[in-house]
Amino acid sequence: MTTPQETFIAACGAGELKIAKEMLAGGDVTVDGTTVVETEELGQTALELACDNGQLEVVKWLMVECKATIRDDDIWSDQLPLHRICKRGHLEVAKWLVTHGKMDPHHRDPSYRATPLYCACQGEHLDVVKWLVSECKVNPNLNDHISESPLHYVCTTGNLQIAKWLVIHGKANVRIKNLWGSTLLHKACNHQQLEIAQWLVTECDMYPDLPNAIGCTPLSYACWKGSLDIVKWLVIDCKADLDAKDDKGGSPRDCATGEVVGWLSSINHNS
């Protein structure tokens, strides 16, 4: 059976401000930072669920009139509240929390050392990215726990619009490498993002045969993932080396999978 407190928290999460106010006035529920309801993801308070769902008016009411506070411990799957809000694209809630709730847009989460900008990039929210970089002055070149920048995340999702904005307007560094020496091009090829890969090579002048710390080139990852369109483009247009050796003596040709195997056989047969 659903308790009054659970109903109240659900109402806040759904933006049902009138219902929430009536329940609080009736004295059957409380507003605090400890009472939670088990949502499908994890236990959240009324304020946290309202933030998570982008319910700005409820957030304002809970914080201003009810004096509710967001728990400052490590909640929400190793993401702090502002990180999660930015990942979900709730720009107006994020702005209000930074301006009135004194939340820090530069704060790095305790597990991954990532700022809210990483989360905005993961969620592919350009408006949030622009606000964090342009207005909050969040550094787009700040690395996380494995030395990856927000651009690495963008190369994973394949959002070219955000990638271009970060480089052109945010002055993000396209030459950055992660802990294993992998470039943005390695990342794009590993996640089968052809459009990003083409942009990195043709517009950002990224060298297609640059190996990482273990000697693997972007072509190695494309072959391993069976990304035929990327492999064809790298080999035909970029003249990438199919026989470049990694630290174990293997080559992109050796790790090919899927359709790439057949295509490599055909070009070998025709050569």
Side-chain angles (χ1 to χ4, degrees):
M1 181 179 294
T2 303
T3 67
Q5 190 68 35
E6 290 172 337
T7 301
F8 172 73
I9 293 176
C12 289
E16 300 288 350
L17 184 56
K18 181 180 179 180
I19 294 175
K21 285 183 175 181
E22 290 174 350
M23 292 189 72
L24 186 63
D28 294 328
V29 298
T30 59
V31 176
D32 58 42
T34 58
T35 303
V36 301
V37 58
E38 291 298 325
T39 63
E40 61 183 21
E41 294 189 57
L42 50 124
Q44 294 173 291
T45 66
L47 176 56
E48 290 161 3
L49 190 57
C51 287
D52 206 29
N53 292 344
Q55 304 295 351
L56 179 58
E57 295 308 312
V58 177
V59 171
K60 289 179 180 179
W61 172 67
L62 288 170
M63 293 189 75
V64 176
E65 296 185 35
C66 303
K67 307 303 179 185
T69 57
I70 296 177
R71 294 175 294 173
D72 60 2
D73 55 344
D74 183 19
I75 60 174
W76 288 341
S77 302
D78 294 325
Q79 291 180 0
L80 298 173
L82 188 59
H83 288 68
R84 190 171 176 92
I85 292 165
C86 288
K87 187 173 183 178
R88 296 203 169 197
H90 300 315
L91 179 58
E92 294 308 314
V93 175
K95 284 182 175 181
W96 194 88
L97 286 173
V98 169
T99 304
H100 302 283
K102 307 305 179 184
M103 298 195 76
D104 183 7
H106 303 270
H107 188 65
R108 304 170 78 175
D109 79 73
S111 297
Y112 302 111
R113 306 297 296 154
T115 65
L117 180 58
Y118 286 81
C119 297
C121 289
Q122 282 182 313
E124 301 185 63
H125 299 294
L126 179 59
D127 56 344
V128 181
V129 170
K130 289 180 176 180
W131 169 70
L132 287 168
V133 175
S134 299
E135 297 185 35
C136 301
K137 308 303 179 186
V138 176
N139 184 359
N141 293 312
L142 195 63
N143 292 348
D144 65 5
H145 68 304
I146 55 172
S147 297
E148 291 193 341
S149 74
L151 260 181
H152 282 90
Y153 287 68
V154 177
C155 289
T156 297
T157 64
N159 194 309
L160 185 58
Q161 189 178 18
I162 292 180
K164 286 184 174 181
W165 191 91
L166 282 172
V167 172
I168 296 171
H169 301 284
K171 307 303 179 185
N173 180 15
V174 295
R175 309 295 172 193
I176 197 164
K177 297 179 181 180
N178 67 14
L179 195 61
W180 300 280
S182 290
T183 65
L184 300 176
L185 186 56
H186 284 91
K187 199 79 172 180
C189 290
N190 190 32
H191 289 271
Q192 306 177 63
Q193 301 295 348
L194 175 61
E195 194 175 19
I196 289 283
Q198 291 174 326
W199 169 71
L200 288 168
V201 173
T202 59
E203 296 188 36
C204 301
D205 298 321
M206 190 160 289
Y207 181 52
D209 275 334
L210 187 67
N212 60 15
I214 58 174
C216 291
T217 65
L219 182 57
S220 301
Y221 289 99
C223 286
W224 174 52
K225 287 298 180 73
S227 302
L228 184 58
D229 54 351
I230 297 180
V231 171
K232 283 183 175 181
W233 171 72
L234 285 170
V235 173
I236 298 172
D237 296 342
C238 303
K239 310 303 180 186
D241 187 1
L242 276 165
D243 298 305
K245 301 299 183 183
D246 61 28
D247 288 359
K248 294 184 178 180
S251 69
R253 193 188 301 274
D254 297 328
C255 59
T257 62
E259 294 180 305
V260 175
V261 175
W263 182 73
L264 291 178
S265 297
S266 69
I267 61 172
N268 289 337
H269 178 74
N270 295 329
S271 61

